Amino acid sequence: MIELKVNGASRKFDGDPDMPLLWYLRDLLELTGTKFGCGMGVCGSCTVHVNGAAQRSCVTSVKDVAGKDVTTIEGLDKNHAHPVQAAWQKANVAQCGYCQAGQIMQAAALLKQKPRPTDEDIDQAMAGNICRCGTYQRIRQAIHMAAGVKA
Amino acid sequence: MNRIDVVSRRGFLGTVFSAGAFVLGAQILPEDALADGTSGAPAWQPTVYLGLEPDGRVIITAHRSEMGTGIRTALPMVLADELDVDWKKVTIAQAIGDKKYGDQNTDGSTSIRSFYDIMRQSGATARLMLERAAAQQWGVPASQCKARDGQVTAGSHKASYGELAALAAKQPVPKKEELKYKTPAEFKYIGKGVPITDQPDIVAGKAVFGLDARVPGMVYASIEHAPVFGGTVRSVDDSEARKVRGVQRVERIAAFKPPYAFQPLGGVAVIADNTWAAMQGRKKLKVNWDLGANTAYDSTSYKKSLFETVRKPQKVARNVGDVDAEFAKGGTIHEAEYYAPMLSHAPMEPVNAVAEFKDGKVTAWAPTQNPQAVQDTVAQALGIKSQDVTCHVTLLGGGFGRKSKPDYVAEAALLSKQVGKPVQVVWSREDDIQFDFFHAVAAMYMKASVDAKGRPTAWLQRCAFPPIESQNDVTARYGGFEQGMGWSDVPFDIPHQRAENGPAEAHVRIGWLRSVANIYHAFAVQSFADELAAAANRDRVEYLLDLVGKPRTLDVQSIPPNTPGYALDTGRARKVIEAVADKSGWARKKSGPGHGYGLAFHRSFQTYVAAVVEVEIDSKGAVRIPRVDYAVDTGLVVHPDRVISQFEGAAVFGAGLALMGEITAQNGRIQQSNYHNYPVARINEAPREVHVHLMQNDAPPAGVGEPGVPPMAPALCNAIFAATGKRIRELPIKKTKLV
């Protein structure tokens, strides 16, 4: 039995301990905001926070997060008004929107570490998150907008 | 939480209007919908496009699919503006697949072009009927009643649209000639835009994509397809697969019968309690394949054969004057060959669908660009009627043309019938890339004779690529509608011109990808034009304007066809070239070692686009793109922010394909499998700034989703030439060492 916290709630899991956190969240907890994109940690669509740090849930097994705190897009802010989410809306970042939960989780983790990131910081932190619609210019703009706003 | 409840609450279901609603009907459907005989006769048919509820709510049907263009907002917005209602009172209801809505295939950048007038007509019709209802109620002439901002007034009389809805529904439907439309000055939303309806749900993680659909009792399927296109199952040993925890069953899906069209490929499906278990079980399958007829398909030898084809005379697609006679005169001749590889769509959301077969009917929830094709494809696969297939359209996590081909929905429906439960089919990224409907590989040969100023006197272009028509015809070898995509409609003022197309056989599924054949055609034509300009040592803007020639209307074969109002107007081409030069500061920009500017023009989907790309090449040969400028004439602009965002995205999409996109085959097997070996542009590789300059004019609206892509590859390669002196004739760019 694996115990963990997801968005503040205690959870117990007795399935395949090697199941990636992604599928546990999506298929068993029905937290479908976290997306499947590649299954090998190269696209960032599945990004969640584990103990506050950005992590790819498609290559993180449930047993790896035993005893840890997992935050998904659904739990980033109870009103869905985290500064990054607000900036995303203001800049009209999303096109199809599929990758944006992962982008937002990655950006929120970046701002926690570096409240005033430079363009280079953003490139470095966000290069693992693919957006096939090509919204990068607005992602960068929105991160700058959210920078310095208290989360 | 049941996701389908969420879906229905958000208006993803077909029947969304209450019994008391004023619903405006099918008499204002597009003509093609009337012509197909499915929805023609009745003058009044409820539940199309608009419903006014007695409580004041306005429900507008979005019948096109949302994959990021903002169309689910923009088309209802047009109707709301003409109806004159507060956007905040509008609820958008996503339509199920149904021919009564007219064409729903969200493809070819046609949504605004095909439905702008119809949405306005719907709004104007409802407005007039509300005014007539008010006139009847108050006993005043209709001419004194004014419908505005959700209410009708006449003198001291006042009533909301909702209060008048029941009576309005009883009014005779006015004739088209009776309608009064708003003037552009009266528009509240058209040309300005409104917030994108799905943004709040997207940033909250609540938006429902196909992969997020959940139906009670549903199971998950992962499907092993033949590693070579056309392969079939000889035998399966599934004993180990069935031992995997969570695996319920293993099912076969029959191979398609040629031509493949949108049929499922066929294969072996592992059905399980969850996606992970299905994928794990699939890894344990031991399938003995008959690999079929395409095991010799090899990209290296195929490339050779394409070039052999374009070096010889081929079928003429367009002829002006006498190219051969002009070449025979001798003088300066230029020749060049170009190559653009096969590409995969790779939308962030791999294809997937939920389907439930019950009592002889299918209900599907799918991220599809074409719900009517879902109906037809599923019906054919199961031997039922199209009208017995209900297709709910979720949001699409990218489409780019892949999701207009609903093979994956038919897979889910077949499996649901076999297992007696709702089934979600989930393709892995590897499945998505390896079993795509690929963008065709193409080879192009170009030849021109030039005068003393370097201007072409004769121009010959030949191309060969496996055609999209191979979907429907196993003998297809020549390009069909691809010819009208930047090949037979080159807008140059050259006295002798010939465009040819040679045969090529398909060995994989071929499909259309965002801007289709325009990608390779524009690459060859606009690169070759730059080569001629370079040889003549002329300024690129001046040279390209000279090639385009005087403002005039061209009678060329173009796809979509040059319908009235959409003729190829070289005056508009000139203006975007001049505008992009102006806005990018072209005259002040000087290319030098390691830093260059490139120009390209291309018209596609009836939109005129010129692009200037700036590149920096570092000492290791790495390419950076600090800036892209677009000048765009797409006629009337409905939602400026979404038009701009489509071009911002097209710059990234186009640059990514040009820099690094390539799919290859060896022994019939696709060699790429995921984003590590089929890379797409990331934030640090994408153009840093994209500036989009929209031309202002009142021409009819044209396409927006695709036309930004074609000019990117040539403009980028022309910039690289300016920076390095290296001419890129083969994509992707990464194959050429730049220093």
Side-chain angles (χ1 to χ4, degrees), chain B residues 454 527-540 543-544 547:
Chain B
S527 294
F528 192 56
D530 196 80
E531 293 206 35
L532 298 182
N537 198 24
R538 284 169 63 175
D539 176 75
R540 303 304 196 267
Y543 189 85
L544 198 52
L547 275 184

Side-chain angles (χ1 to χ4, degrees), chain B residues 182-232:
Chain B
K182 284 186 171 183
T183 63
E186 291 173 305
F187 290 155
K188 280 184 188 161
Y189 306 128
I190 297 168
K192 299 175 181 75
V194 295
I196 295 302
T197 195
D198 296 304
Q199 288 279 5
D201 281 352
I202 287 169
V203 303
K206 290 194 280 191
V208 179
F209 295 87
L211 205 64
D212 306 331
R214 295 288 181 269
V215 177
M218 97 184 189
V219 292
Y220 299 78
S222 182
I223 303 170
E224 186 81 4
H225 300 105
V228 177
F229 174 65
T232 52

Side-chain angles (χ1 to χ4, degrees), chain B residues 210-546:
Chain B
L211 205 64
D212 306 331
R214 295 288 181 269
V215 177
M218 97 184 189
V219 292
Y220 299 78
S222 182
I223 303 170
E224 186 81 4
H225 300 105
V228 177
F229 174 65
T232 52
V233 176
R234 276 205 195 104
S235 62
V236 184
D237 173 358
D238 61 11
S239 51
E240 292 301 312
R242 282 190 288 110
K243 285 181 197 158
V244 171
R245 187 175 171 184
V247 168
Q248 298 183 3
R249 304 168 63 146
V250 175
E251 293 288 328
R252 299 268 282 266
I253 297 176
F256 68 88
K257 291 188 182 66
Y260 58 89
F262 297 158
Q263 296 173 72
L265 284 166
V268 184
V270 175
I271 290 146
D273 300 347
N274 56 66
T275 316
W276 174 247
M279 288 174 166
Q280 292 306 101
R282 183 178 151 197
K283 282 187 195 157
K284 305 274 186 189
L285 285 176
K286 293 186 193 89
V287 186
N288 179 9
W289 297 102
D290 175 348
L291 294 175
N294 292 305
T295 52
Y297 181 43
D298 176 282
S299 289
T300 308
S301 56
Y302 194 79
K303 178 181 171 184
K304 271 189 205 145
S305 73
L306 288 179
F307 276 123
E308 280 164 19
T309 301
V310 297
R311 285 170 193 150
K312 293 186 292 242
Q314 297 296 348
K315 204 161 126 181
V316 175
R318 180 191 181 202
N319 188 51
V320 179
D322 188 341
V323 170
D324 297 323
E326 194 61 29
F327 287 150
K329 288 181 187 165
T332 308
I333 301 276
H334 294 275
E335 288 175 286
E337 291 176 349
Y338 299 90
Y339 180 77
M342 183 154 64
L343 298 169
S344 176
H345 300 80
M348 294 314 296
E349 178 194 33
V351 294
N352 68 84
V354 176
E356 180 169 26
F357 177 84
K358 209 172 174 182
D359 305 328
K361 296 182 179 183
V362 171
T363 306
W365 293 265
T368 176
Q369 293 174 239
N370 192 351
Q372 293 171 10
V374 168
Q375 293 182 283
D376 295 343
T377 304
V378 169
Q380 201 189 357
L382 273 70
I384 59 177
K385 292 183 188 138
S386 290
Q387 58 265 37
D388 288 337
V389 180
T390 303
C391 179
H392 301 286
V393 181
T394 66
L395 293 179
L396 285 67
F400 312 117
R402 171 60 182 95
K403 290 176 184 163
S404 55
K405 301 145 188 120
D407 53 329
Y408 53 98
V409 194
E411 289 180 334
L414 285 165
L415 291 173
S416 176
K417 188 179 178 186
Q418 284 164 233
V419 305
K421 294 174 185 174
V423 174
Q424 181 172 52
V425 163
V426 181
W427 284 35
S428 66
R429 174 60 54 201
E430 288 77 9
D431 298 331
D432 186 70
I433 286 181
Q434 304 211 303
F435 307 110
D436 199 358
F437 288 77
F438 296 98
H439 168 85
V441 53
M444 280 78 52
Y445 166 83
M446 312 291 290
K447 181 178 179 183
S449 58
V450 297
D451 64 17
K453 288 180 179 163
R455 196 181 195 288
T457 51
W459 170 287
L460 170 69
Q461 50 184 60
R462 262 187 223 125
C463 65
F465 50 82
I468 289 169
E469 185 54 22
S470 58
Q471 284 180 2
N472 305 309
D473 176 0
V474 292
T475 67
R477 298 289 182 273
Y478 290 94
F481 68 85
E482 294 101 322
Q483 301 298 326
M485 298 181 132
W487 201 243
S488 56
D489 54 350
V490 172
F492 293 163
D493 182 19
I494 301 169
H496 307 281
Q497 291 180 68
R498 195 164 72 222
E500 299 176 9
N501 172 236
E505 184 176 355
H507 300 286
V508 289
R509 298 196 290 183
I510 304 293
W512 45 93
L513 174 146
R514 191 177 188 178
S515 81
V516 204
N518 290 290
I519 293 175
Y520 43 80
H521 289 155
F523 171 57
V525 170
Q526 292 292 310
S527 294
F528 192 56
D530 196 80
E531 293 206 35
L532 298 182
N537 198 24
R538 284 169 63 175
D539 176 75
R540 303 304 196 267
V541 170
E542 177 269 325
Y543 189 85
L544 198 52
L545 287 170
D546 187 20

Side-chain angles (χ1 to χ4, degrees), chain A residues 14 26-27 30 35 123 136, chain B residues 1 212 245 275 681 688:
Chain A
D14 64 355
R26 291 186 51 82
D27 292 355
E30 299 211 351
K35 301 303 189 214
D123 270 11
Y136 300 125
Chain B
M1 183 173 55
D212 306 331
R245 187 175 171 184
T275 316
R688 175 69 41 136

